[in-house]
mmCIF file of all heavy atoms in Angstrom:
data_model
loop_
_atom_site.group_PDB
_atom_site.id
_atom_site.type_symbol
_atom_site.label_atom_id
_atom_site.label_comp_id
_atom_site.label_asym_id
_atom_site.label_seq_id
_atom_site.Cartn_x
_atom_site.Cartn_y
_atom_site.Cartn_z
ATOM 1 N N PHE A 1750 -21.008 -27.333 -33.023
ATOM 2 C CA PHE A 1750 -20.231 -26.381 -33.811
ATOM 3 C C PHE A 1750 -20.417 -24.948 -33.328
ATOM 4 O O PHE A 1750 -19.993 -24.013 -33.989
ATOM 5 C CB PHE A 1750 -20.588 -26.473 -35.300
ATOM 6 C CG PHE A 1750 -20.206 -27.784 -35.920
ATOM 7 C CD1 PHE A 1750 -21.157 -28.771 -36.131
ATOM 8 C CD2 PHE A 1750 -18.904 -28.047 -36.279
ATOM 9 C CE1 PHE A 1750 -20.813 -29.991 -36.699
ATOM 10 C CE2 PHE A 1750 -18.544 -29.261 -36.844
ATOM 11 C CZ PHE A 1750 -19.505 -30.236 -37.054
ATOM 12 N N GLY A 1751 -21.054 -24.785 -32.182
ATOM 13 C CA GLY A 1751 -21.280 -23.439 -31.675
ATOM 14 C C GLY A 1751 -20.007 -22.741 -31.249
ATOM 15 O O GLY A 1751 -19.945 -21.517 -31.210
ATOM 16 N N ASP A 1752 -18.975 -23.522 -30.917
ATOM 17 C CA ASP A 1752 -17.719 -22.926 -30.470
ATOM 18 C C ASP A 1752 -16.652 -22.977 -31.560
ATOM 19 O O ASP A 1752 -15.487 -22.733 -31.302
ATOM 20 C CB ASP A 1752 -17.221 -23.659 -29.217
ATOM 21 C CG ASP A 1752 -16.133 -22.879 -28.489
ATOM 22 O OD1 ASP A 1752 -16.239 -21.641 -28.441
ATOM 23 O OD2 ASP A 1752 -15.177 -23.499 -27.999
ATOM 24 N N PHE A 1753 -17.067 -23.309 -32.779
ATOM 25 C CA PHE A 1753 -16.120 -23.356 -33.889
ATOM 26 C C PHE A 1753 -15.821 -21.948 -34.389
ATOM 27 O O PHE A 1753 -16.649 -21.042 -34.284
ATOM 28 C CB PHE A 1753 -16.693 -24.183 -35.043
ATOM 29 C CG PHE A 1753 -16.027 -25.519 -35.221
ATOM 30 C CD1 PHE A 1753 -16.074 -26.465 -34.219
ATOM 31 C CD2 PHE A 1753 -15.361 -25.832 -36.393
ATOM 32 C CE1 PHE A 1753 -15.472 -27.703 -34.374
ATOM 33 C CE2 PHE A 1753 -14.763 -27.061 -36.565
ATOM 34 C CZ PHE A 1753 -14.812 -28.003 -35.553
ATOM 35 N N ASN A 1754 -14.640 -21.795 -34.951
ATOM 36 C CA ASN A 1754 -14.292 -20.550 -35.624
ATOM 37 C C ASN A 1754 -15.243 -20.336 -36.795
ATOM 38 O O ASN A 1754 -15.435 -21.234 -37.623
ATOM 39 C CB ASN A 1754 -12.841 -20.635 -36.115
ATOM 40 C CG ASN A 1754 -12.402 -19.402 -36.870
ATOM 41 O OD1 ASN A 1754 -12.693 -19.255 -38.052
ATOM 42 N ND2 ASN A 1754 -11.699 -18.521 -36.197
ATOM 43 N N GLN A 1755 -15.851 -19.162 -36.877
ATOM 44 C CA GLN A 1755 -16.872 -18.910 -37.893
ATOM 45 C C GLN A 1755 -16.323 -18.982 -39.318
ATOM 46 O O GLN A 1755 -16.954 -19.550 -40.211
ATOM 47 C CB GLN A 1755 -17.518 -17.543 -37.655
ATOM 48 C CG GLN A 1755 -18.488 -17.521 -36.487
ATOM 49 C CD GLN A 1755 -19.755 -18.307 -36.783
ATOM 50 O OE1 GLN A 1755 -20.406 -18.114 -37.810
ATOM 51 N NE2 GLN A 1755 -20.110 -19.215 -35.885
ATOM 52 N N ILE A 1756 -15.149 -18.423 -39.528
ATOM 53 C CA ILE A 1756 -14.561 -18.475 -40.872
ATOM 54 C C ILE A 1756 -14.229 -19.915 -41.239
ATOM 55 O O ILE A 1756 -14.415 -20.337 -42.387
ATOM 56 C CB ILE A 1756 -13.301 -17.590 -40.951
ATOM 57 C CG1 ILE A 1756 -13.653 -16.130 -40.643
ATOM 58 C CG2 ILE A 1756 -12.647 -17.697 -42.325
ATOM 59 C CD1 ILE A 1756 -12.454 -15.207 -40.599
ATOM 60 N N ALA A 1757 -13.768 -20.683 -40.254
ATOM 61 C CA ALA A 1757 -13.451 -22.089 -40.504
ATOM 62 C C ALA A 1757 -14.691 -22.860 -40.935
ATOM 63 O O ALA A 1757 -14.627 -23.707 -41.833
ATOM 64 C CB ALA A 1757 -12.837 -22.720 -39.256
ATOM 65 N N LEU A 1758 -15.829 -22.582 -40.303
ATOM 66 C CA LEU A 1758 -17.068 -23.270 -40.672
ATOM 67 C C LEU A 1758 -17.453 -22.978 -42.118
ATOM 68 O O LEU A 1758 -17.841 -23.882 -42.866
ATOM 69 C CB LEU A 1758 -18.204 -22.844 -39.736
ATOM 70 C CG LEU A 1758 -18.180 -23.401 -38.311
ATOM 71 C CD1 LEU A 1758 -19.351 -22.846 -37.512
ATOM 72 C CD2 LEU A 1758 -18.219 -24.924 -38.320
ATOM 73 N N ILE A 1759 -17.340 -21.715 -42.516
ATOM 74 C CA ILE A 1759 -17.713 -21.349 -43.886
ATOM 75 C C ILE A 1759 -16.759 -21.990 -44.894
ATOM 76 O O ILE A 1759 -17.179 -22.507 -45.932
ATOM 77 C CB ILE A 1759 -17.741 -19.816 -44.047
ATOM 78 C CG1 ILE A 1759 -18.860 -19.226 -43.183
ATOM 79 C CG2 ILE A 1759 -17.943 -19.428 -45.513
ATOM 80 C CD1 ILE A 1759 -18.911 -17.715 -43.176
ATOM 81 N N ARG A 1760 -15.468 -21.986 -44.589
ATOM 82 C CA ARG A 1760 -14.505 -22.606 -45.515
ATOM 83 C C ARG A 1760 -14.691 -24.117 -45.576
ATOM 84 O O ARG A 1760 -14.482 -24.731 -46.625
ATOM 85 C CB ARG A 1760 -13.078 -22.231 -45.113
ATOM 86 C CG ARG A 1760 -12.793 -20.762 -45.373
ATOM 87 C CD ARG A 1760 -11.359 -20.361 -45.128
ATOM 88 N NE ARG A 1760 -11.215 -18.921 -45.321
ATOM 89 C CZ ARG A 1760 -10.095 -18.239 -45.119
ATOM 90 N NH1 ARG A 1760 -9.002 -18.876 -44.724
ATOM 91 N NH2 ARG A 1760 -10.065 -16.938 -45.313
ATOM 92 N N LEU A 1761 -15.089 -24.715 -44.465
ATOM 93 C CA LEU A 1761 -15.387 -26.146 -44.468
ATOM 94 C C LEU A 1761 -16.585 -26.428 -45.374
ATOM 95 O O LEU A 1761 -16.573 -27.376 -46.170
ATOM 96 C CB LEU A 1761 -15.665 -26.619 -43.045
ATOM 97 C CG LEU A 1761 -16.033 -28.095 -42.871
ATOM 98 C CD1 LEU A 1761 -14.931 -28.995 -43.400
ATOM 99 C CD2 LEU A 1761 -16.314 -28.402 -41.399
#
Side-chain angles (χ1 to χ4, degrees):
F1750 294 101
D1752 195 38
F1753 252 62
N1754 178 279
Q1755 285 290 309
I1756 300 176
L1758 286 178
I1759 294 175
R1760 290 186 184 177
L1761 178 59

